[in-house]
Amino acid sequence: MHSAVLFLGVLFPMLLASCREHTPASTAVPAAVPAPLPPTPEELEAGAAALRERAVLMHAIFGAKFNPAANEAPIEMSAPDEPGMRMYTIEPVAHAFLPNGDAALVANALAVQAGRDGIRVHTEGGLLNVFILRKADGRWTLLKHHANVARLGTWERIGTARFMHLAPGKPGLAMLYGSAFQGYVERYLSLFDLGAADLRDLSGDGIAVSASALACEPAETETCYDVTSGWRFAVSASGAAYNDLVFQFRGEEDRKKDVRRKGGEGPRLASDITRLDGVARYAYDGKTYVLVEGKNLARSH
């Protein structure tokens, strides 16, 4: 059994690290970025141990149906917003041991389709599934399967999972996911209460974390922008069931402006860059997180 101390001491720092999004792009030539250091032997072993733990949980849920080589298992479930049942492939994404000793396994459900051959639809999100397991007499047993809770992300994948506390005594799950299309990149955050009887997205449709126009051409008329944010929890100012969520946005926007060339050559576009900085605070209103202070600079694009 893992204690609450382990949950906070190991998993919460992982969340904080994930909250540090990339810094906004600058119009100046960027300095050379050093190559990341290779993982240490300790980090490699920790990753391997996590994979072994995840395999044990998958085997406890699916038994012989779990294919450890492919790291997946088949399951029949109801399709979201569609009548009837259909077959899915469950792909484990992350897991954590909760303060009470239960395990939470986060997985993606991929619809089984004839002739898929590994091809995924880039406009389609993945399907979030959460399995809650309890250990008794040395064996894990399934307590609850939150099936096809939400459709998140793109390329039929649900994004990155992080574990934290939504409030004292309330372990939660944060999903970070996004989309990228023709140079436009967006990233969102969704929150879930792992202790709830019915899992649902507490953020509604997701809260915008960052937005960038990576393929923007400065000489064209379109607006170029790059906005990102760090985020953290703060004690609820209203006494809500969950902590408030605070975002610190930073970035820049180039709306361009017309300038006249000498000699009557007509107008041309020149950069007109505006710095974007601000704080936004979200609070839980009993149903979902809503904006109560500031402005979400990532959503405005």
Side-chain angles (χ1 to χ4, degrees):
M1 295 284 181
H2 288 247
S3 66
V5 175
L6 175 61
F7 184 82
L8 286 173
V10 176
L11 296 174
F12 194 66
M14 292 170 57
L15 171 69
L16 295 179
S18 73
C19 298
R20 300 185 182 98
E21 302 291 331
H22 66 281
T23 55
S26 171
T27 54
V29 177
V33 178
L37 296 174
T40 65
E42 292 77 12
E43 290 171 335
L44 290 173
E45 174 53 31
L51 291 177
R52 291 193 295 269
E53 289 177 341
R54 210 166 296 154
V56 169
L57 297 176
M58 286 289 289
H59 189 269
I61 298 168
F62 297 102
K65 292 182 179 180
F66 171 55
N67 182 346
N71 196 31
E72 63 185 29
I75 188 173
E76 187 177 23
M77 298 184 290
S78 60
D81 304 322
E82 296 179 14
M85 306 284 285
R86 66 181 302 177
M87 291 300 300
Y88 291 88
T89 297
I90 292 292
E91 306 169 325
V93 171
H95 73 286
F97 298 102
L98 306 182
N100 67 353
D102 290 348
L105 175 68
V106 178
N108 178 46
L110 180 67
V112 174
Q113 298 178 9
R116 179 185 283 274
D117 295 329
I119 298 174
R120 302 189 184 220
V121 182
H122 82 275
T123 57
E124 193 82 357
L127 288 166
L128 173 66
N129 282 252
V130 178
F131 300 86
I132 306 297
L133 301 93
R134 180 164 295 171
K135 198 171 190 179
D137 298 326
R139 298 184 62 181
W140 290 102
T141 57
L142 181 64
L143 288 182
K144 179 74 175 180
H145 175 200
H146 299 282
N148 289 345
V149 174
R151 191 178 292 278
L152 308 172
T154 53
W155 291 106
E156 298 181 82
R157 301 184 189 276
I158 57 175
T160 302
R162 294 289 183 264
F163 301 91
M164 87 304 295
H165 278 91
L166 297 170
K170 293 186 177 180
L173 169 68
M175 295 302 303
L176 290 162
Y177 57 94
S179 64
F181 182 70
Q182 294 183 345
Y184 293 91
V185 180
E186 298 175 338
R187 192 163 173 81
Y188 296 90
L189 166 70
S190 287
L191 297 172
F192 303 87
D193 183 348
L194 292 174
D198 296 307
L199 219 61
R200 63 183 181 86
D201 191 344
L202 301 175
S203 70
D205 295 326
I207 300 174
V209 174
S210 64
S212 300
L214 299 180
C216 183
E217 292 291 340
E220 301 297 332
T221 58
E222 63 180 329
T223 298
C224 300
Y225 56 87
D226 186 9
V227 184
T228 188
S229 68
W231 55 277
R232 62 180 175 84
F233 286 106
V235 175
S236 172
S238 61
Y242 304 118
N243 288 330
D244 290 353
L245 194 57
V246 180
F247 293 83
Q248 177 68 59
F249 289 95
R250 61 190 184 277
E252 59 186 29
E253 178 181 75
D254 186 357
R255 288 191 176 274
K256 319 283 193 315
K257 61 182 179 181
D258 289 338
V259 296
R260 294 287 173 177
R261 296 179 180 177
K262 293 181 179 180
E265 298 178 8
R268 67 179 177 87
L269 291 171
S271 290
D272 186 14
I273 296 174
T274 301
R275 288 291 306 170
L276 300 175
D277 293 285
V279 176
R281 190 181 186 107
Y282 284 76
Y284 185 70
D285 68 355
K287 295 181 179 180
T288 186
Y289 273 88
V290 296
L291 182 66
V292 293
E293 293 180 19
K295 180 180 181 180
N296 189 318
L297 298 176
R299 186 173 290 278
S300 64
H301 291 90

